[in-house]
Every structure is written in structure tokens, then in C-alpha cells.
Amino acid sequence: MLMKREQLAVYFIAGTPNCKRSIEETLQAAIDGGITMFQFREKGKDALAGSAKKEQAVRLQALCREANIPFIVNDDIELAVEIGADGVHIGQEDEAASSVRGKINGGIVGVSVHTMDEAKKAIADGADYVGTGPIYQTGTKTDTGPVAGTALIKTMRAQNLTIPIVGIGGITIDNAAPVIAAGADGVSVISTISLADDVKQAAVELKAAVEGSN
Ligand code: 3NM
């Protein structure tokens, strides 16, 4: 699946430990609210592993297929290949994007970057998009670097990097606009959607915040 930069607009990420209701119910409501891409990130306490993780992935992939949005797997390249996911998202500690690209047969490769050098390397390695954060304070991931704000996004654009960019970390309906204004194509969120009382409505409002600031 080729990726269009518009597909990063409202990029929902979740694993089973992030959701108040079942992850299927949560993802379906988020899809109904208009998310444009989904990443299965099964990490942390009580995370599924092995066949349970795979079966969960396959169920979520089916919902994304039905809605025609990309289904991306975080880190687990083997799982992504096995189930034919639309792509993978990798961090700096994972293998290089160039090596992942060879394994996933035309799929989307996203890379987390925190500096200009990492961004340039990701591009040289053939990444389809880069994610950068934490833009704001987040309680969801505890091993992030310091809060970065939107400076790197602005620098990437000022230096004419045209790669699709998504911001991540602490992004809400109220603070999404500056991320787009800085030059990002979209926002990645976990808790703003996964922990919302009304998941569909949260996705609707986040999308409006992103589109309103274009
Ligand atoms: N990566 P929430 S921050 C998965 O900075 C992840 O690279 C980050 O969750 C990074 O939207 C983060 O609930 C957590 O803040 C995002």
C-alpha cells in the first residue's frame, strides 16, 4: 500500500493495555470518528504476546481493511510480515529502515526521529514518514526523551525536508493545531482517543482540530 501524506492526519495508536473498552470496540469507534491510519502497539504491562497478540492483530487489521485505512505494526517486523500488515513503525533502537524495507515488500516504513541527523538518516534509508516527539508531556510512554515541542518539525521544514511528518506525545484536541502549523502532516495519539469517554467523538474533534489548522 502506498501512503499518502493525508493519511497521517489523525494517526491513532493503541494496544490492549491502552484501552478502557475492548481494543476492537475502541478501534471501530475511532474509525467511525474518522481516523486516517492505525498502529497496533502492543506494549507494557498486560500486553499480549505470541499467538494471542497475532490473533488480536489480525482482528484489528480486518477492521482497518474494511475502512480502507493503513494498518501499521509497531516494532514487530516478523508479525507485520506474517500477517501482511500495510507497514511497520520502528524506533532508533530497531534495525535500519533500509533493512526493514527489504522485508516488508512494498509496505509503509515509519521511523521515530529526535534530531535532524536521525531524520536525514531515516530519509536516506527510505522511510515513508517520520514521527517525532514527545511534542508535549505524556504519561503514556515513560521512557521518552525530554519534551521537545515543535522545534524539530519547524527545523525539518525550514531545511526543506519534504518527507511526511507526524507529531506524537501528549497531543490533545486543544493543542493539536500548533503541531500542524509547525509543518506536520498529522498527529499521532494514544490516550486522547483510547481513554476518551466517547471515542468516536474524540476522533471527530481531533480531526476537526487538525483540518481546521491546515
Ligand atoms: N512515543 P499519548 S510519546 C508512543 O515521543 C509514544 O516518541 C512517543 O501517547 C515519543 O498520545 C508516545 O497518550 C506516547 O501521549 C503517546
Side-chain angles (χ1 to χ4, degrees), residues 9-71:
V10 184
Y11 187 178
F12 178 42
I13 302 176
T16 52
N18 302 121
C19 300
K20 290 213 276 198
R21 301 168 195 84
S22 81
I23 189 168
E24 282 105 317
E25 212 183 315
T26 305
L27 176 57
Q28 187 58 58
I31 287 172
D32 294 344
I35 62 162
T36 53
M37 187 141 143
F38 175 68
Q39 180 188 126
F40 182 50
R41 180 177 178 276
E42 188 65 14
K43 283 206 169 158
K45 192 176 172 290
D46 301 327
L48 303 174
S51 59
K53 179 181 177 185
K54 180 179 161 188
E55 283 158 22
Q56 187 61 267
V58 167
R59 286 194 292 270
L60 300 174
Q61 179 183 31
L63 298 181
C64 290
R65 257 194 202 146
E66 176 77 28
N68 202 24
I69 66 169
F71 175 81

Short mmCIF file of all heavy atoms in Angstrom, two decimals, residues 9-71:
data_model
loop_
_atom_site.label_atom_id
_atom_site.label_comp_id
_atom_site.label_asym_id
_atom_site.label_seq_id
_atom_site.Cartn_x
_atom_site.Cartn_y
_atom_site.Cartn_z
N ALA A 9 -3.02 12.32 8.93
CA ALA A 9 -3.74 13.41 9.61
C ALA A 9 -4.13 13.06 11.04
O ALA A 9 -3.81 13.79 11.98
CB ALA A 9 -4.96 13.82 8.79
N VAL A 10 -4.85 11.96 11.20
CA VAL A 10 -5.27 11.54 12.54
C VAL A 10 -4.86 10.07 12.69
O VAL A 10 -5.58 9.16 12.30
CB VAL A 10 -6.78 11.72 12.75
CG1 VAL A 10 -7.15 11.35 14.19
CG2 VAL A 10 -7.20 13.16 12.45
N TYR A 11 -3.66 9.90 13.22
CA TYR A 11 -2.99 8.60 13.28
C TYR A 11 -3.16 8.06 14.70
O TYR A 11 -2.48 8.49 15.62
CB TYR A 11 -1.53 8.83 12.93
CG TYR A 11 -0.64 7.62 12.75
CD1 TYR A 11 0.69 7.79 12.38
CD2 TYR A 11 -1.08 6.31 12.96
CE1 TYR A 11 1.55 6.71 12.21
CE2 TYR A 11 -0.23 5.24 12.78
CZ TYR A 11 1.08 5.44 12.41
OH TYR A 11 1.93 4.36 12.25
N PHE A 12 -4.07 7.12 14.84
CA PHE A 12 -4.38 6.54 16.16
C PHE A 12 -3.46 5.35 16.41
O PHE A 12 -3.25 4.52 15.53
CB PHE A 12 -5.84 6.11 16.19
CG PHE A 12 -6.29 5.45 17.47
CD1 PHE A 12 -5.89 5.95 18.71
CD2 PHE A 12 -7.12 4.33 17.43
CE1 PHE A 12 -6.31 5.34 19.90
CE2 PHE A 12 -7.55 3.73 18.60
CZ PHE A 12 -7.14 4.23 19.83
N ILE A 13 -2.89 5.32 17.62
CA ILE A 13 -2.02 4.23 18.04
C ILE A 13 -2.63 3.60 19.29
O ILE A 13 -3.07 4.32 20.18
CB ILE A 13 -0.61 4.77 18.40
CG1 ILE A 13 0.01 5.51 17.22
CG2 ILE A 13 0.30 3.66 18.90
CD1 ILE A 13 1.36 6.16 17.52
N ALA A 14 -2.65 2.29 19.36
CA ALA A 14 -3.12 1.65 20.60
C ALA A 14 -2.70 0.20 20.68
O ALA A 14 -2.46 -0.46 19.67
CB ALA A 14 -4.64 1.73 20.70
N GLY A 15 -2.64 -0.27 21.91
CA GLY A 15 -2.52 -1.68 22.23
C GLY A 15 -3.59 -1.97 23.26
O GLY A 15 -4.21 -1.04 23.79
N THR A 16 -3.78 -3.24 23.56
CA THR A 16 -4.86 -3.58 24.50
C THR A 16 -4.71 -2.87 25.85
O THR A 16 -5.73 -2.44 26.41
CB THR A 16 -4.97 -5.11 24.71
OG1 THR A 16 -3.68 -5.62 25.06
CG2 THR A 16 -5.43 -5.81 23.45
N PRO A 17 -3.48 -2.66 26.39
CA PRO A 17 -3.40 -2.01 27.71
C PRO A 17 -3.80 -0.53 27.70
O PRO A 17 -4.02 0.06 28.76
CB PRO A 17 -1.91 -2.13 28.09
CG PRO A 17 -1.37 -3.23 27.24
CD PRO A 17 -2.14 -3.15 25.97
N ASN A 18 -3.89 0.07 26.51
CA ASN A 18 -4.22 1.50 26.44
C ASN A 18 -5.72 1.78 26.45
O ASN A 18 -6.12 2.95 26.49
CB ASN A 18 -3.64 2.13 25.16
CG ASN A 18 -2.15 1.98 25.03
OD1 ASN A 18 -1.66 1.40 24.07
ND2 ASN A 18 -1.42 2.48 26.00
N CYS A 19 -6.53 0.74 26.33
CA CYS A 19 -7.97 0.98 26.08
C CYS A 19 -8.83 0.72 27.30
O CYS A 19 -8.56 -0.18 28.08
CB CYS A 19 -8.44 0.09 24.93
SG CYS A 19 -7.55 0.42 23.40
N LYS A 20 -9.88 1.53 27.44
CA LYS A 20 -10.83 1.35 28.55
C LYS A 20 -11.82 0.24 28.23
O LYS A 20 -12.26 -0.49 29.10
CB LYS A 20 -11.64 2.64 28.76
CG LYS A 20 -10.84 3.78 29.33
CD LYS A 20 -11.69 4.67 30.23
CE LYS A 20 -12.47 5.70 29.43
NZ LYS A 20 -12.95 6.81 30.29
N ARG A 21 -12.22 0.19 26.96
CA ARG A 21 -13.11 -0.88 26.50
C ARG A 21 -12.25 -1.86 25.69
O ARG A 21 -11.05 -1.71 25.65
CB ARG A 21 -14.22 -0.29 25.64
CG ARG A 21 -15.03 0.74 26.41
CD ARG A 21 -15.94 1.53 25.49
NE ARG A 21 -16.41 2.71 26.19
CZ ARG A 21 -15.73 3.86 26.27
NH1 ARG A 21 -14.55 3.97 25.68
NH2 ARG A 21 -16.21 4.88 26.94
N SER A 22 -12.86 -2.81 25.02
CA SER A 22 -12.03 -3.73 24.23
C SER A 22 -11.34 -2.93 23.13
O SER A 22 -11.86 -1.89 22.68
CB SER A 22 -12.89 -4.83 23.61
OG SER A 22 -13.53 -4.35 22.45
N ILE A 23 -10.20 -3.40 22.70
CA ILE A 23 -9.47 -2.66 21.67
C ILE A 23 -10.23 -2.68 20.34
O ILE A 23 -10.20 -1.70 19.60
CB ILE A 23 -8.01 -3.14 21.54
CG1 ILE A 23 -7.21 -2.20 20.63
CG2 ILE A 23 -7.91 -4.57 21.09
CD1 ILE A 23 -5.70 -2.40 20.65
N GLU A 24 -10.97 -3.75 20.05
CA GLU A 24 -11.76 -3.77 18.80
C GLU A 24 -12.83 -2.69 18.83
O GLU A 24 -13.03 -1.97 17.87
CB GLU A 24 -12.49 -5.12 18.60
CG GLU A 24 -11.63 -6.22 18.10
CD GLU A 24 -11.32 -7.17 19.22
OE1 GLU A 24 -11.01 -6.71 20.35
OE2 GLU A 24 -11.38 -8.38 18.97
N GLU A 25 -13.54 -2.63 19.96
CA GLU A 25 -14.60 -1.64 20.11
C GLU A 25 -14.01 -0.22 20.00
O GLU A 25 -14.58 0.67 19.36
CB GLU A 25 -15.22 -1.82 21.50
CG GLU A 25 -16.67 -1.51 21.63
CD GLU A 25 -17.09 -1.67 23.10
OE1 GLU A 25 -16.70 -2.68 23.73
OE2 GLU A 25 -17.79 -0.78 23.58
N THR A 26 -12.86 -0.04 20.63
CA THR A 26 -12.20 1.26 20.62
C THR A 26 -11.77 1.63 19.20
O THR A 26 -12.04 2.76 18.74
CB THR A 26 -10.97 1.23 21.56
OG1 THR A 26 -11.40 0.82 22.86
CG2 THR A 26 -10.30 2.60 21.65
N LEU A 27 -11.14 0.69 18.52
CA LEU A 27 -10.69 0.99 17.15
C LEU A 27 -11.88 1.27 16.23
O LEU A 27 -11.84 2.21 15.44
CB LEU A 27 -9.84 -0.16 16.59
CG LEU A 27 -9.40 -0.01 15.14
CD1 LEU A 27 -8.62 1.29 14.90
CD2 LEU A 27 -8.57 -1.21 14.68
N GLN A 28 -12.94 0.47 16.37
CA GLN A 28 -14.09 0.69 15.47
C GLN A 28 -14.70 2.07 15.70
O GLN A 28 -15.05 2.77 14.74
CB GLN A 28 -15.15 -0.41 15.66
CG GLN A 28 -16.27 -0.32 14.63
CD GLN A 28 -15.76 -0.41 13.19
OE1 GLN A 28 -15.11 -1.39 12.81
NE2 GLN A 28 -16.02 0.60 12.37
N ALA A 29 -14.80 2.48 16.95
CA ALA A 29 -15.36 3.81 17.24
C ALA A 29 -14.43 4.90 16.70
O ALA A 29 -14.90 5.92 16.15
CB ALA A 29 -15.55 3.98 18.75
N ALA A 30 -13.14 4.69 16.82
CA ALA A 30 -12.17 5.67 16.29
C ALA A 30 -12.28 5.75 14.77
O ALA A 30 -12.22 6.84 14.19
CB ALA A 30 -10.75 5.27 16.71
N ILE A 31 -12.44 4.60 14.14
CA ILE A 31 -12.64 4.57 12.67
C ILE A 31 -13.93 5.32 12.32
O ILE A 31 -13.95 6.15 11.39
CB ILE A 31 -12.69 3.10 12.16
CG1 ILE A 31 -11.28 2.48 12.19
CG2 ILE A 31 -13.28 3.04 10.76
CD1 ILE A 31 -11.24 0.98 11.90
N ASP A 32 -14.98 5.08 13.06
CA ASP A 32 -16.26 5.76 12.80
C ASP A 32 -16.11 7.27 12.96
O ASP A 32 -16.81 8.05 12.33
CB ASP A 32 -17.35 5.24 13.74
CG ASP A 32 -17.70 3.77 13.48
OD1 ASP A 32 -17.34 3.26 12.40
OD2 ASP A 32 -18.31 3.13 14.36
N GLY A 33 -15.18 7.67 13.82
CA GLY A 33 -14.94 9.10 14.02
C GLY A 33 -14.00 9.72 12.99
O GLY A 33 -13.79 10.93 12.99
N GLY A 34 -13.39 8.87 12.15
CA GLY A 34 -12.62 9.42 11.03
C GLY A 34 -11.11 9.34 11.12
O GLY A 34 -10.41 10.07 10.40
N ILE A 35 -10.57 8.46 11.98
CA ILE A 35 -9.10 8.33 11.98
C ILE A 35 -8.62 7.92 10.59
O ILE A 35 -9.37 7.29 9.83
CB ILE A 35 -8.58 7.33 13.05
CG1 ILE A 35 -9.10 5.91 12.79
CG2 ILE A 35 -8.89 7.82 14.45
CD1 ILE A 35 -8.31 4.83 13.51
N THR A 36 -7.39 8.28 10.29
CA THR A 36 -6.89 8.07 8.92
C THR A 36 -5.82 6.98 8.83
O THR A 36 -5.44 6.57 7.73
CB THR A 36 -6.30 9.39 8.39
OG1 THR A 36 -5.33 9.87 9.34
CG2 THR A 36 -7.39 10.44 8.21
N MET A 37 -5.35 6.50 9.98
CA MET A 37 -4.32 5.46 9.99
C MET A 37 -4.33 4.86 11.41
O MET A 37 -4.71 5.55 12.36
CB MET A 37 -2.98 6.11 9.65
CG MET A 37 -1.81 5.23 9.45
SD MET A 37 -0.80 5.91 8.06
CE MET A 37 0.82 5.57 8.61
N PHE A 38 -3.91 3.59 11.52
CA PHE A 38 -3.87 2.94 12.83
C PHE A 38 -2.57 2.18 13.00
O PHE A 38 -2.10 1.51 12.08
CB PHE A 38 -5.04 1.97 13.01
CG PHE A 38 -4.98 1.20 14.31
CD1 PHE A 38 -5.15 1.84 15.53
CD2 PHE A 38 -4.71 -0.17 14.31
CE1 PHE A 38 -5.06 1.14 16.74
CE2 PHE A 38 -4.62 -0.88 15.52
CZ PHE A 38 -4.80 -0.22 16.72
N GLN A 39 -2.01 2.28 14.21
CA GLN A 39 -0.80 1.49 14.56
C GLN A 39 -1.11 0.62 15.77
O GLN A 39 -1.54 1.12 16.81
CB GLN A 39 0.35 2.44 14.88
CG GLN A 39 1.64 1.71 15.24
CD GLN A 39 2.72 2.67 15.75
OE1 GLN A 39 3.27 2.49 16.82
NE2 GLN A 39 3.00 3.72 14.99
N PHE A 40 -0.87 -0.67 15.61
CA PHE A 40 -1.02 -1.63 16.71
C PHE A 40 0.30 -1.65 17.48
O PHE A 40 1.33 -2.08 16.97
CB PHE A 40 -1.34 -3.01 16.13
CG PHE A 40 -1.56 -4.08 17.17
CD1 PHE A 40 -2.43 -3.89 18.23
CD2 PHE A 40 -0.93 -5.31 17.04
CE1 PHE A 40 -2.64 -4.90 19.18
CE2 PHE A 40 -1.15 -6.34 17.97
CZ PHE A 40 -2.00 -6.12 19.04
N ARG A 41 0.25 -1.13 18.71
CA ARG A 41 1.45 -1.01 19.56
C ARG A 41 1.16 -1.74 20.86
O ARG A 41 0.66 -1.17 21.82
CB ARG A 41 1.76 0.47 19.79
CG ARG A 41 2.98 0.72 20.66
CD ARG A 41 3.22 2.23 20.77
NE ARG A 41 4.35 2.54 21.62
CZ ARG A 41 4.28 2.63 22.96
NH1 ARG A 41 3.14 2.43 23.59
NH2 ARG A 41 5.36 2.91 23.64
N GLU A 42 1.47 -3.02 20.86
CA GLU A 42 1.11 -3.89 21.98
C GLU A 42 2.30 -3.96 22.93
O GLU A 42 3.20 -4.79 22.76
CB GLU A 42 0.72 -5.27 21.42
CG GLU A 42 0.15 -6.23 22.43
CD GLU A 42 -1.19 -5.78 23.00
OE1 GLU A 42 -1.84 -4.87 22.46
OE2 GLU A 42 -1.58 -6.32 24.05
N LYS A 43 2.32 -3.04 23.91
CA LYS A 43 3.49 -2.90 24.78
C LYS A 43 3.07 -2.69 26.21
O LYS A 43 1.97 -2.21 26.48
CB LYS A 43 4.30 -1.67 24.36
CG LYS A 43 5.12 -1.88 23.13
CD LYS A 43 6.33 -0.96 23.09
CE LYS A 43 7.25 -1.40 21.99
NZ LYS A 43 8.14 -0.33 21.54
N GLY A 44 4.00 -2.98 27.15
CA GLY A 44 3.80 -2.63 28.55
C GLY A 44 3.09 -3.72 29.33
O GLY A 44 2.94 -4.86 28.87
N LYS A 45 2.67 -3.34 30.52
CA LYS A 45 2.03 -4.27 31.45
C LYS A 45 0.78 -4.88 30.82
O LYS A 45 0.00 -4.17 30.20
CB LYS A 45 1.66 -3.48 32.72
CG LYS A 45 1.24 -4.34 33.90
CD LYS A 45 0.99 -3.46 35.13
CE LYS A 45 0.39 -4.26 36.27
NZ LYS A 45 -0.99 -4.68 36.03
N ASP A 46 0.63 -6.18 30.98
CA ASP A 46 -0.53 -6.92 30.46
C ASP A 46 -0.62 -6.97 28.94
O ASP A 46 -1.67 -7.27 28.38
CB ASP A 46 -1.86 -6.36 31.02
CG ASP A 46 -1.91 -6.43 32.53
OD1 ASP A 46 -1.33 -7.38 33.10
OD2 ASP A 46 -2.52 -5.53 33.15
N ALA A 47 0.47 -6.64 28.27
CA ALA A 47 0.45 -6.71 26.80
C ALA A 47 0.36 -8.17 26.36
O ALA A 47 0.93 -9.06 26.99
CB ALA A 47 1.71 -6.07 26.23
N LEU A 48 -0.35 -8.39 25.27
CA LEU A 48 -0.45 -9.74 24.71
C LEU A 48 0.86 -10.10 24.02
O LEU A 48 1.60 -9.22 23.57
CB LEU A 48 -1.57 -9.79 23.67
CG LEU A 48 -2.98 -9.40 24.14
CD1 LEU A 48 -3.94 -9.38 22.96
CD2 LEU A 48 -3.46 -10.36 25.22
N ALA A 49 1.12 -11.39 23.93
CA ALA A 49 2.32 -11.87 23.23
C ALA A 49 1.95 -13.11 22.43
O ALA A 49 0.84 -13.66 22.60
CB ALA A 49 3.44 -12.18 24.22
N GLY A 50 2.85 -13.53 21.58
CA GLY A 50 2.69 -14.80 20.86
C GLY A 50 1.41 -14.86 20.04
O GLY A 50 1.03 -13.88 19.39
N SER A 51 0.72 -16.00 20.13
CA SER A 51 -0.44 -16.19 19.26
C SER A 51 -1.60 -15.27 19.64
O SER A 51 -2.37 -14.85 18.78
CB SER A 51 -0.88 -17.66 19.27
OG SER A 51 -1.19 -18.04 20.59
N ALA A 52 -1.71 -14.93 20.93
CA ALA A 52 -2.79 -14.01 21.34
C ALA A 52 -2.58 -12.64 20.69
O ALA A 52 -3.54 -12.00 20.22
CB ALA A 52 -2.82 -13.88 22.86
N LYS A 53 -1.33 -12.21 20.65
CA LYS A 53 -1.02 -10.92 20.01
C LYS A 53 -1.32 -10.99 18.51
O LYS A 53 -1.93 -10.08 17.95
CB LYS A 53 0.46 -10.59 20.25
CG LYS A 53 0.91 -9.29 19.61
CD LYS A 53 2.40 -9.03 19.86
CE LYS A 53 2.87 -7.76 19.17
NZ LYS A 53 4.32 -7.56 19.31
N LYS A 54 -0.92 -12.08 17.91
CA LYS A 54 -1.16 -12.23 16.46
C LYS A 54 -2.66 -12.24 16.15
O LYS A 54 -3.12 -11.57 15.22
CB LYS A 54 -0.50 -13.52 15.97
CG LYS A 54 -0.69 -13.75 14.49
CD LYS A 54 -0.02 -15.01 14.02
CE LYS A 54 -0.62 -15.45 12.70
NZ LYS A 54 -0.14 -16.77 12.29
N GLU A 55 -3.41 -13.00 16.94
CA GLU A 55 -4.86 -13.07 16.69
C GLU A 55 -5.52 -11.70 16.86
O GLU A 55 -6.41 -11.33 16.10
CB GLU A 55 -5.50 -14.11 17.61
CG GLU A 55 -5.21 -15.52 17.13
CD GLU A 55 -5.34 -16.58 18.22
OE1 GLU A 55 -6.03 -16.32 19.24
OE2 GLU A 55 -4.71 -17.65 18.06
N GLN A 56 -5.06 -10.97 17.87
CA GLN A 56 -5.60 -9.62 18.08
C GLN A 56 -5.26 -8.74 16.88
O GLN A 56 -6.10 -7.98 16.38
CB GLN A 56 -5.01 -9.03 19.36
CG GLN A 56 -5.60 -7.71 19.76
CD GLN A 56 -7.10 -7.82 20.04
OE1 GLN A 56 -7.93 -7.60 19.15
NE2 GLN A 56 -7.44 -8.17 21.25
N ALA A 57 -4.02 -8.85 16.43
CA ALA A 57 -3.59 -8.04 15.28
C ALA A 57 -4.44 -8.33 14.05
O ALA A 57 -4.86 -7.40 13.35
CB ALA A 57 -2.11 -8.34 14.98
N VAL A 58 -4.70 -9.60 13.82
CA VAL A 58 -5.49 -9.98 12.64
C VAL A 58 -6.92 -9.41 12.72
O VAL A 58 -7.45 -8.91 11.72
CB VAL A 58 -5.50 -11.52 12.49
CG1 VAL A 58 -6.55 -11.98 11.49
CG2 VAL A 58 -4.11 -12.00 12.08
N ARG A 59 -7.49 -9.40 13.91
CA ARG A 59 -8.85 -8.84 14.07
C ARG A 59 -8.85 -7.33 13.81
O ARG A 59 -9.75 -6.80 13.16
CB ARG A 59 -9.39 -9.13 15.48
CG ARG A 59 -9.80 -10.59 15.67
CD ARG A 59 -10.63 -10.76 16.94
NE ARG A 59 -9.84 -10.53 18.15
CZ ARG A 59 -9.17 -11.48 18.81
NH1 ARG A 59 -9.21 -12.73 18.39
NH2 ARG A 59 -8.47 -11.20 19.89
N LEU A 60 -7.83 -6.65 14.30
CA LEU A 60 -7.77 -5.19 14.11
C LEU A 60 -7.45 -4.85 12.65
O LEU A 60 -7.98 -3.89 12.08
CB LEU A 60 -6.72 -4.59 15.04
CG LEU A 60 -6.99 -4.82 16.54
CD1 LEU A 60 -5.83 -4.31 17.37
CD2 LEU A 60 -8.30 -4.17 16.97
N GLN A 61 -6.61 -5.67 12.05
CA GLN A 61 -6.27 -5.48 10.63
C GLN A 61 -7.54 -5.57 9.77
O GLN A 61 -7.72 -4.78 8.84
CB GLN A 61 -5.28 -6.57 10.22
CG GLN A 61 -4.84 -6.51 8.76
CD GLN A 61 -3.92 -7.68 8.42
OE1 GLN A 61 -4.03 -8.76 9.00
NE2 GLN A 61 -3.00 -7.45 7.52
N ALA A 62 -8.43 -6.49 10.13
CA ALA A 62 -9.67 -6.65 9.36
C ALA A 62 -10.54 -5.39 9.44
O ALA A 62 -11.13 -4.96 8.45
CB ALA A 62 -10.44 -7.87 9.87
N LEU A 63 -10.58 -4.78 10.62
CA LEU A 63 -11.37 -3.54 10.78
C LEU A 63 -10.77 -2.43 9.93
O LEU A 63 -11.50 -1.64 9.31
CB LEU A 63 -11.40 -3.11 12.26
CG LEU A 63 -12.05 -4.06 13.26
CD1 LEU A 63 -12.01 -3.45 14.66
CD2 LEU A 63 -13.48 -4.39 12.86
N CYS A 64 -9.44 -2.35 9.90
CA CYS A 64 -8.78 -1.30 9.10
C CYS A 64 -8.99 -1.53 7.61
O CYS A 64 -9.23 -0.59 6.85
CB CYS A 64 -7.28 -1.27 9.41
SG CYS A 64 -6.93 -0.62 11.06
N ARG A 65 -8.93 -2.78 7.20
CA ARG A 65 -9.15 -3.12 5.79
C ARG A 65 -10.52 -2.70 5.34
O ARG A 65 -10.70 -2.10 4.29
CB ARG A 65 -9.03 -4.63 5.60
CG ARG A 65 -7.71 -4.98 5.01
CD ARG A 65 -7.67 -6.41 4.50
NE ARG A 65 -6.27 -6.76 4.44
CZ ARG A 65 -5.77 -7.96 4.67
NH1 ARG A 65 -6.58 -8.96 4.95
NH2 ARG A 65 -4.48 -8.16 4.59
N GLU A 66 -11.49 -3.05 6.16
CA GLU A 66 -12.90 -2.73 5.89
C GLU A 66 -13.06 -1.21 5.70
O GLU A 66 -13.83 -0.74 4.88
CB GLU A 66 -13.71 -3.23 7.09
CG GLU A 66 -15.18 -2.92 7.09
CD GLU A 66 -15.95 -3.83 6.15
OE1 GLU A 66 -15.48 -4.97 5.94
OE2 GLU A 66 -16.98 -3.38 5.64
N ALA A 67 -12.31 -0.45 6.51
CA ALA A 67 -12.41 1.02 6.47
C ALA A 67 -11.42 1.64 5.49
O ALA A 67 -11.39 2.86 5.31
CB ALA A 67 -12.15 1.57 7.87
N ASN A 68 -10.59 0.78 4.89
CA ASN A 68 -9.60 1.26 3.93
C ASN A 68 -8.59 2.24 4.53
O ASN A 68 -8.26 3.26 3.92
CB ASN A 68 -10.33 1.87 2.72
CG ASN A 68 -9.45 1.88 1.49
OD1 ASN A 68 -8.51 1.09 1.40
ND2 ASN A 68 -9.73 2.79 0.57
N ILE A 69 -8.15 1.95 5.75
CA ILE A 69 -7.08 2.76 6.34
C ILE A 69 -5.88 1.85 6.61
O ILE A 69 -6.04 0.66 6.90
CB ILE A 69 -7.50 3.49 7.64
CG1 ILE A 69 -7.80 2.52 8.77
CG2 ILE A 69 -8.68 4.43 7.39
CD1 ILE A 69 -7.95 3.21 10.11
N PRO A 70 -4.66 2.40 6.51
CA PRO A 70 -3.48 1.55 6.71
C PRO A 70 -3.41 0.98 8.13
O PRO A 70 -3.68 1.68 9.11
CB PRO A 70 -2.30 2.51 6.46
CG PRO A 70 -2.86 3.62 5.65
CD PRO A 70 -4.28 3.77 6.12
N PHE A 71 -3.01 -0.29 8.21
CA PHE A 71 -2.79 -0.99 9.48
C PHE A 71 -1.28 -1.19 9.62
O PHE A 71 -0.65 -1.92 8.84
CB PHE A 71 -3.51 -2.35 9.46
CG PHE A 71 -3.23 -3.19 10.68
CD1 PHE A 71 -3.91 -2.97 11.87
CD2 PHE A 71 -2.27 -4.20 10.64
CE1 PHE A 71 -3.65 -3.74 13.00
CE2 PHE A 71 -1.99 -4.97 11.77
CZ PHE A 71 -2.68 -4.74 12.94
#
